[in-house]
Amino acid sequence: MSKPEFFATPGYGETQLKNMHYSQAVRIGDRVEISGQGGWDDSFEFPETLEDEIVRAFENVERTLATAGSSWADVVHVNSYHVLGDDSFDDHNRVMVEQFRARMGERAPIWTESGVTALGHPKMRIEIRVTAIG
């Protein structure tokens, strides 16, 4: 069995490793698991619009996967967590599906989507974690 390798995404991941004592990704052999990624920037600021926040969360997943030597092309499983507020699953799903298609092409991962009352930061409306093989 391969030994786990842990990774901190440059920028915000290094901050979280120092302040919160957790890694953004782990690779064991050809399997990569990442911690939940929100739509923050390196200063933990969030976009105003839901769409921009979801797109940035996808970008952060991409950054984290790349840090561990993987990409969206390797993703087989997605968990997403949504704080709905004034918007609906339809508002979230439109952007989620657009991003899946843009980033994964023909690959259609398994996906578990959950509505939640709160996430790890009061401004978060979306959190995405993935499993990649490759």
Side-chain angles (χ1 to χ4, degrees):
M1 181 164 169
S2 298
K3 183 176 179 181
E5 297 176 77
F6 292 90
F7 300 89
T9 308
Y12 67 83
E14 295 162 330
T15 300
Q16 293 300 81
L17 180 59
K18 179 183 174 197
N19 294 340
M20 305 277 293
H21 195 65
Y22 76 93
S23 298
Q24 297 297 313
V26 61
R27 174 181 279 280
I28 303 169
D30 66 351
R31 184 184 187 99
V32 175
E33 300 277 351
I34 70 166
S35 63
Q37 303 296 303
W40 52 68
D41 63 15
D42 284 338
S43 299
F44 292 97
E45 297 294 325
F46 292 83
E48 291 294 319
T49 69
L50 173 66
E51 181 166 353
D52 289 345
E53 185 175 340
I54 293 172
V55 170
R56 190 177 289 159
F58 271 80
E59 290 167 355
N60 287 339
V61 167
E62 187 169 304
R63 286 175 65 186
T64 300
L65 287 168
T67 301
S70 195
S71 73
W72 273 107
D74 303 314
V75 170
V76 296
H77 183 196
V78 176
N79 285 97
S80 62
Y81 306 92
H82 305 262
V83 176
L84 297 179
D86 293 334
D87 40 57
S88 69
F89 271 116
D90 288 342
D91 298 320
H92 287 249
N93 288 346
R94 178 186 59 78
V95 184
M96 293 290 294
V97 171
E98 286 172 1
Q99 291 299 303
F100 283 155
R101 288 190 169 128
R103 295 173 189 271
M104 299 180 70
E106 294 298 313
R107 175 169 279 191
I110 61 172
W111 177 23
T112 301
E113 179 181 38
S114 300
V116 297
T117 58
L119 293 165
H121 188 286
K123 292 185 178 179
M124 287 177 74
R125 295 170 283 189
I126 179 76
E127 187 167 358
I128 303 169
R129 71 155 313 281
V130 305
T131 301
I133 307 292

